[in-house]
């Protein structure tokens, strides 16, 4: 039977955009996105959506109230649905067994329990969240243990590969859609039904089906290998700085080999975002649990190099500023973990800000999309050595880059927002303390032009 009604548990960065695109492409399917957070649902129903994502506003506006609904009535949405996406958060465990590494599946478990409590008809339950291998088995166990007579479940794995900042494009033109399920008649039928939803806009040849565990592991593997490329080029950036090679030239030369490819070789202050670190830590934990210590160690290195890169960058700032930041004003351009998003989860900017504060600096922050409250919350949540009453007066958030940099000793570029490339750096220089420094953590500005103006410039992966 074709899918008529979809429910998505979790109205976050994945559930919101994914279901909006499904609603756009499948006008005959009713899509309801629910969340435990009433605030988040209210925002999805307002003019100011809870997340910034290019193109998202238009998609939501064209479907909301027609076949796309955001609701806090989880029970009704589950009752009506033929297919339910579980798109809840799967953070790293903060305490207990596997603390700091294992994925915390409490929200996935909570979602499975609500589905079991409420469902009165057959459901296809789709794991959209990124989970450890064999998590579908745990979901299945909860559903079966609490099953009402006559209600049948099929569990599918359908990991999401969108990247923030390009989510709508990634969803519309996905390289591939992955669906894992049971190799049984009922399992194959469920795979076919989910596949037919995607076939509204994704060519059938791009929809790849496989066994559930392969699908779950493929998601962790994809993120681990993407992050590995960044750590690889970042490790080489240190070699470039020590030798006079330029990491962009190395990346270009290496990337021209079609077996390697040119994407994801941009050296940076380090990768951020809610997933790379958590998913690799999860992979490391799984490998350790499977008694595969060599494999665990191999992937752990991707994280270790990322920490090394962030520390290398901040150390360079401190050392260049006469090894003391006490009493100095440092301007941070960019607080989001990458451009075109307002998301700050695991943003390298948080690490940079915290380190500079610990060194006694006053910091001034500008980001075009991150709200002031979010910045203060992130700083309060990161482990700052000094108590809040000591660091808070030393932080200010600005609504434009010029007021932000005025009177500062240094500018630190942490996010690669396009607008940072073409600022009037002559004007900025004239209003800064001298010597004026630029530390470009994204290798995006015209370093020669800045040197000509009079700035002292340092960047990642090349000597100036
Ligand atoms: N953010 C990203 O770009 C990507 C994330 N993922 C994965 O997708 C999953 C979701 O990630 P995000 O959307 O970023 O998380 P998020 O934190 O933005 O959203 C998750 C939402 O689920 C809600 N929730 C938790 N338990 C619930 C329940 N029982 N019923 C209803 N709602 C519930 C939370 O209130 C929250 O609003 C994670 O596993 C993540 O690893 C996968 C690909 C991309
Ligand atoms: O599972 C997830 O959450 C998602 O994680 C990443 O997406 P995302 O974290 O949104 O953004 P990316 O574009 O991958 O960037 C991650 C971090 O790496 C940095 N990066 C990226 C590319 C690069 O060459 N260099 C580099 O430093 C970015 O600035 C950012 O801090 C993956 O790209 C998605 O495919 C995946 O679905």
């Amino acid at each position: 039977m074709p899918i008529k009604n979809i429910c998505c548990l979790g109205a976050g960065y994945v559930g919101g955009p994914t279901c909006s695109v499904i609603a756009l492409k499948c006008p005959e399917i009713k899509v309801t996105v629910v969340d435990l957070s009433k605030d988040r649902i209210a925002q999805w129903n307002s003019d100011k959506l809870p997340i910034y994502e290019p193109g998202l506003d238009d998609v939501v506006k064209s479907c909301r109230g027609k076949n796309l609904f955001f609701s806090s009535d989880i029970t009704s949405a589950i009752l009506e649905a033929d297919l339910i996406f579980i798109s809840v958060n799967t953070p790293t465990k903060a305490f207990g067994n596997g603390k700091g590494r294992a994925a915390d599946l409490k929200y996935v478990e909570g979602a499975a329990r609500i589905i079991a409590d409420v469902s009165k008809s057959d459901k296809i339950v789709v794991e959209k969240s990124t989970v450890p291998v064999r998590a579908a088995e745990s979901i299945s166990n909860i559903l079966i243990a609490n099953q009402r007579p006559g209600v049948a479940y099929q569990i599918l794995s359908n990991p999401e590969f969108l990247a923030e900042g390009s989510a709508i494009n990634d969803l519309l033109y996905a390289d591939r859609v992955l669906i894992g399920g049971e190799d049984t008649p009922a399992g194959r039928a469920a795979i076919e039904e989910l596949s037919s939803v995607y076939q509204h806009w994704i060519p059938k040849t791009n929809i790849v089906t496989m066994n559930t565990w392969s699908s779950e592991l493929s998601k962790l593997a994809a993120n681990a290998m993407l992050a590995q490329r960044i750590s690889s080029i970042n490790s080489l950036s240190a070699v470039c700085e020590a030798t006079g090679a330029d990491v962009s030239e190395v990346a270009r030369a290496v990337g021209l080999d079609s077996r390697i490819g040119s994407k994801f070789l941009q050296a940076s202050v380090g990768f951020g975002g809610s997933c790379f670190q958590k998913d690799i830590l999860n992979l490391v934990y799984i490998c350790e649990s499977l008694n595969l210590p060599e494999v665990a160690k191999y992937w752990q290195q991707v994280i270790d190099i990322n920490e090394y890169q962030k520390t290398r960058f901040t150390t360079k700032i401190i050392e260049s500023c006469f090894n003391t930041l006490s009493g100095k004003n440092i301007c941070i351009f960019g607080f989001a973990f990458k451009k075109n998003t307002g998301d700050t989860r695991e943003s390298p900017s948080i690490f940079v800000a915290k380190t500079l504060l610990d060194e006694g600096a006053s910091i001034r922050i500008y980001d075009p999309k991150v709200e002031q409250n979010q910045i203060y919350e992130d700083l309060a949540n990161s482990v700052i050595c000094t108590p809040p009453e000591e660091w808070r007066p030393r932080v200010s958030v600005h609504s434009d880059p010029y007021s932000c940099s005025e009177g500062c000793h240094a500018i630190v570029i942490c996010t690669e927002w396009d607008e940072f490339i073409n600022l009037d750096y002559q004007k900025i220089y004239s209003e800064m303390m001298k010597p004026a420094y630029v530390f470009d953590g994204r290798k995006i500005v015209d370093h020669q032009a800045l040197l000509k103006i009079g700035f002292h410039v340092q960047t990642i992966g090349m000597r100036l």
Side-chain angles (χ1 to χ4, degrees):
M1 266 224 318
I3 303 293
K4 290 256 178 312
N5 205 308
I6 291 177
C7 161
C8 175
L9 301 181
Y13 284 87
V14 170
T18 307
C19 285
S20 300
V21 168
I22 293 178
L24 179 76
K25 293 293 179 182
C26 311
E28 80 285 8
I29 299 179
K30 179 180 174 190
V31 183
T32 309
V33 188
V34 295
D35 203 288
L36 294 174
S37 160
K38 291 196 165 64
D39 280 354
R40 211 161 199 189
I41 291 298
Q43 285 177 295
W44 279 107
N45 283 318
S46 74
D47 286 337
K48 191 167 184 296
L49 302 182
I51 63 178
Y52 169 70
E53 193 61 65
L56 177 65
D57 279 26
D58 290 344
V59 177
V60 171
K61 272 183 199 139
S62 69
C63 307
R64 198 172 52 190
K66 292 179 189 148
N67 67 328
L68 174 65
F69 301 90
F70 295 94
S71 166
S72 298
D73 185 355
I74 299 181
T75 303
S76 301
I78 292 175
L79 273 173
E80 280 182 3
D82 321 305
L83 183 146
I84 303 170
F85 284 111
I86 299 181
S87 187
V88 301
N89 35 333
T90 48
T92 304
K93 269 185 91 171
F95 54 85
N97 206 12
K99 173 185 170 184
R101 288 175 310 149
D104 190 341
L105 293 180
K106 69 179 171 193
Y107 301 106
V108 173
E109 180 177 343
R113 287 188 186 279
I114 305 181
I115 296 171
D117 281 352
V118 170
S119 297
K120 292 187 178 153
S121 57
D122 296 354
K123 309 285 177 200
I124 298 174
V125 176
V126 184
E127 206 179 59
K128 181 58 97 178
S129 299
T130 304
V131 289
V133 195
R134 296 196 82 93
E137 196 169 39
S138 311
I139 296 176
S140 177
N141 287 341
I142 291 170
L143 293 174
I144 289 167
N146 297 283
Q147 202 167 18
R148 281 175 211 251
V151 176
Y153 296 106
Q154 271 301 318
I155 324 292
L156 301 178
S157 157
N158 172 222
E160 184 48 61
F161 296 102
L162 68 79
E164 289 177 30
S166 56
I168 298 300
N169 215 50
D170 295 342
L171 287 163
L172 288 175
Y173 308 102
D175 289 345
R176 79 309 207 180
V177 165
L178 200 57
I179 306 177
E182 269 179 27
D183 191 12
T184 59
R188 285 192 292 271
I191 291 175
E192 196 41 53
E193 294 202 46
L194 179 58
S195 171
S196 68
V197 172
Y198 285 110
Q199 279 174 48
H200 283 73
W201 77 99
I202 302 285
K204 200 170 177 192
T205 43
N206 291 10
I207 301 176
V208 183
T209 62
M210 56 183 65
N211 90 39
T212 315
W213 322 132
S214 305
S215 171
E216 290 174 333
L217 182 57
S218 299
K219 172 63 195 177
L220 295 180
N223 272 1
M225 292 180 79
L226 286 168
Q228 181 197 44
R229 283 174 73 92
I230 304 170
S231 280
S232 296
I233 200 71
N234 280 346
S235 74
L236 292 169
S237 75
V239 181
C240 290
E241 287 160 38
T243 56
D246 176 345
V247 75
S248 304
E249 292 181 349
V250 174
R252 187 158 61 98
V254 169
L256 281 170
D257 185 327
S258 60
R259 294 169 302 174
I260 296 174
S262 61
K263 291 181 183 166
F264 260 69
L265 289 179
Q266 174 68 44
S268 66
V269 49
F271 61 75
S274 61
C275 292
F276 279 172
Q277 176 164 310
K278 104 173 151 60
D279 292 347
I280 296 173
L281 286 170
N282 183 1
L283 182 61
V284 168
Y285 181 73
I286 292 169
C287 294
E288 281 173 0
S289 308
L290 295 171
N291 198 21
L292 302 168
E294 289 81 3
V295 187
K297 220 165 132 191
Y298 175 75
W299 289 110
Q300 178 63 42
Q301 267 298 305
V302 174
I303 309 251
D304 294 349
I305 287 288
N306 202 46
E307 292 303 310
Y308 167 72
Q309 186 76 346
K310 290 188 283 187
T311 307
R312 240 167 42 77
F313 184 61
T314 47
T315 303
K316 188 185 278 189
I317 298 171
I318 298 160
E319 285 177 359
S320 303
C321 295
F322 309 100
N323 214 22
T324 175
L325 297 182
S326 188
K328 288 183 180 150
N329 286 318
I330 311 285
C331 157
I332 296 183
F333 279 174
F335 209 73
F337 80 95
K338 62 186 278 198
K339 72 175 179 180
N340 295 335
T341 179
D343 193 353
T344 59
R345 291 178 290 179
E346 303 296 335
S347 176
S349 308
I350 301 174
F351 175 90
V352 170
K354 169 193 153 4
T355 309
L356 302 185
L357 282 169
D358 286 349
E359 281 289 333
S362 291
I363 58 172
R364 301 159 68 104
I365 301 168
Y366 167 70
D367 186 287
K369 286 291 170 198
V370 181
E371 314 258 343
Q372 175 166 321
N373 293 347
Q374 185 64 52
I375 293 177
Y376 282 114
E377 198 183 309
D378 288 333
L379 291 178
N381 289 339
S382 67
V383 198
I384 288 189
C385 299
T386 50
E389 56 280 12
E390 205 281 306
W391 64 261
R392 237 189 121 99
R394 291 192 282 125
V395 177
S396 60
V397 177
H398 295 256
S399 57
D400 81 279
Y402 298 99
S403 75
C404 188
S405 51
E406 200 179 322
C408 284
H409 293 79
I411 294 171
V412 182
I413 301 175
C414 286
T415 313
E416 75 282 24
W417 285 103
D418 290 340
E419 69 172 73
F420 298 151
I421 298 171
N422 294 318
L423 294 173
D424 183 347
Y425 281 101
Q426 183 70 59
K427 175 177 150 79
I428 287 176
Y429 179 77
S430 66
E431 285 162 13
M432 283 178 67
M433 304 293 284
K434 308 294 176 331
Y437 292 86
V438 170
F439 298 96
D440 181 2
R442 294 291 185 163
K443 210 167 185 290
I444 52 161
V445 289
D446 182 343
H447 303 125
Q448 291 309 324
L450 294 189
L451 287 169
K452 227 184 235 170
I453 291 171
F455 281 105
H456 291 253
V457 186
Q458 302 242 16
T459 191
I460 299 281
M462 75 185 286
R463 277 194 211 157
L464 285 159

